[in-house]
Amino acid sequence: MTTDTPARLLQLLSLLQTPREWPGGELADRLGVSRRTVRRDVDRLRELGYPVQASKGSDGGYRLVAGKAMPPLVLDDEEAVAIAVGLRAGAGHALEGVDEASVRALAKLEQVLPSRLRHRVSTLQAATTPLTSGDGASIAPETLTVMASTVAGHERLRFAYRAKDGTESRRVTEPYRLVSTGRRWYLVAYDLDRDDWRTFRVDRVSEPFATGARFAPRELPTGSAAEYLRQSMYRRQETYEFAVTFAASAEVVAARVPGWVGTPEPLGEGHCRLRAESGDAVEWLAVRLAMTGVEFTVESPGELVECVRGLGERLVRAAGG
């Protein structure tokens, strides 16, 4: 019998978080208490914000249902390790759809993991290799979690940074947001030594250190970290506009083209147009369009038209045609 009420409540909550209905008698047996105690414990969980639903009957049952807010979860060791490994794998490779929220979740989870579980998570990750798409560099999850914690806590971040030309420097920043482009992670932050906003490729960051010094967040010039990153990237490279029509709906094309390439607009009758700006080489864009597996026509620019034509001719020759 569990006489410690907090421990019993945690055990009851762990049982209720499994996707099934628990008869009151079975819960009482599991916890080693009376059904009356189970009812009182259920009332305590409701007072804490957990939406426990009771069903009527000879042996009334209980189950946890979806509520208006997300209450704390209780995870056993295996569940915690599985979630941490999954979040680490996704965060470390900037997979499309795995954004800053996932990294914040990983930072919170690893902060409370016992040392024995942290060791298991590290061992499992070291023994596995995820198959990822794109050319994004792999990043140590610890780097992301340190950054995410400083973003959430408004804490100054110090790190070593290697620029594109190989130049090494030390930076002290006020981190604002982590942004995933689908291929890479970037940190948008205010650089205190340069007295200006900067973007940093996270795979070029090393030795991240949370200084413990708090700061009041500054107002970002563009209002959006993603927009600031986009403008920053375009300022550093030549860009061009392109337009392509597809013989497929906008929904189909959007599912086959990364969001950072652009958003297709419906044209009706099963067609759509993708009009956007790119700083990537036209050769890369031509290959990416061909990989959609959808019939398409390049409207502009002329360089992309010629590149697609040349790619098609080479593929035909490669197939012996």
Side-chain angles (χ1 to χ4, degrees):
M1 175 178 178
T2 305
T3 57
D4 182 4
T5 300
R8 190 176 65 248
L9 286 177
L10 287 175
Q11 187 179 355
L12 173 60
L13 181 58
S14 180
L15 293 171
L16 291 175
Q17 284 179 338
T18 56
R20 57 161 291 190
E21 182 170 286
W22 288 87
E26 187 174 351
L27 286 176
D29 291 341
R30 287 287 194 109
L31 300 173
V33 296
S34 67
R35 296 188 185 187
R36 183 179 179 183
T37 300
V38 170
R39 288 194 295 271
R40 285 202 302 264
D41 287 347
V42 166
D43 288 338
R44 291 190 182 99
L45 289 179
R46 287 169 176 161
E47 292 172 359
L48 293 172
Y50 292 92
V52 182
Q53 185 181 75
S55 60
K56 298 180 180 179
S58 58
D59 194 28
Y62 301 93
R63 60 180 308 202
L64 199 64
V65 298
K68 294 182 180 179
M70 178 68 182
L73 295 175
V74 175
L75 304 173
D76 62 29
D77 286 3
E78 300 302 324
E79 292 167 341
V81 169
I83 292 174
V85 171
L87 287 173
R88 275 179 163 227
H93 291 269
L95 299 177
E96 190 167 7
V98 179
D99 56 14
E100 186 197 351
S102 300
V103 179
R104 292 201 309 270
L106 177 60
K108 291 178 181 178
L109 180 59
E110 294 202 338
Q111 184 178 6
V112 298
L113 280 180
S115 58
R116 70 179 191 282
L117 296 188
R118 283 199 296 269
H119 177 70
R120 287 179 58 186
V121 170
S122 299
T123 300
L124 274 173
Q125 189 183 29
T128 59
T129 301
L131 179 62
T132 59
S133 59
D135 59 352
S138 179
I139 302 168
E142 293 80 3
T143 297
L144 284 169
T145 54
V146 169
M147 289 183 168
S149 64
T150 57
V151 168
H154 306 311
E155 186 177 351
R156 287 181 178 174
L157 176 70
R158 186 171 68 236
F159 55 85
Y161 191 69
R162 175 179 50 82
K164 184 178 181 180
D165 61 4
T167 303
E168 302 278 351
S169 62
R170 306 289 299 187
R171 304 297 183 101
V172 179
T173 66
E174 295 178 351
Y176 185 80
R177 287 289 187 277
L178 281 166
V179 181
S180 171
T181 64
R183 291 186 294 175
R184 295 188 178 95
W185 281 103
Y186 289 84
L187 173 69
V188 176
Y190 192 85
D191 192 317
L192 294 175
D193 292 332
R194 289 152 182 80
D195 196 24
D196 199 4
W197 290 94
R198 291 288 189 271
T199 59
F200 303 94
R201 269 181 51 174
V202 177
D203 58 293
R204 293 176 179 165
V205 169
S206 61
E207 304 172 45
F209 177 74
T211 64
R214 306 289 178 176
F215 65 89
R218 303 170 189 262
E219 184 176 353
L220 193 65
T222 60
S224 164
E227 178 60 21
Y228 182 84
L229 175 62
R230 188 187 70 82
Q231 294 182 12
S232 176
M233 294 174 69
Y234 285 154
R235 282 196 299 268
R236 295 196 297 264
Q237 60 186 9
E238 293 185 4
T239 62
Y240 58 90
E241 293 184 351
F242 68 91
V244 181
T245 56
F246 292 88
S249 67
E251 292 77 10
V252 170
V253 175
R256 303 186 183 190
V257 175
W260 43 265
V261 173
T263 303
E265 302 174 353
L267 294 178
E269 299 181 359
H271 286 70
C272 67
R273 175 180 287 115
L274 177 59
R275 192 193 304 274
E277 191 175 12
S278 177
D280 292 305
V282 291
E283 293 83 3
W284 182 92
L285 182 57
V287 172
R288 194 67 191 81
L289 293 171
M291 289 174 61
T292 62
V294 174
E295 294 290 332
F296 67 92
T297 302
V298 178
E299 299 177 1
S300 63
E303 293 84 354
L304 182 57
V305 173
E306 292 302 319
C307 186
V308 170
R309 180 179 294 117
L311 175 63
E313 292 172 352
R314 288 196 298 274
L315 291 176
V316 169
R317 289 194 299 270

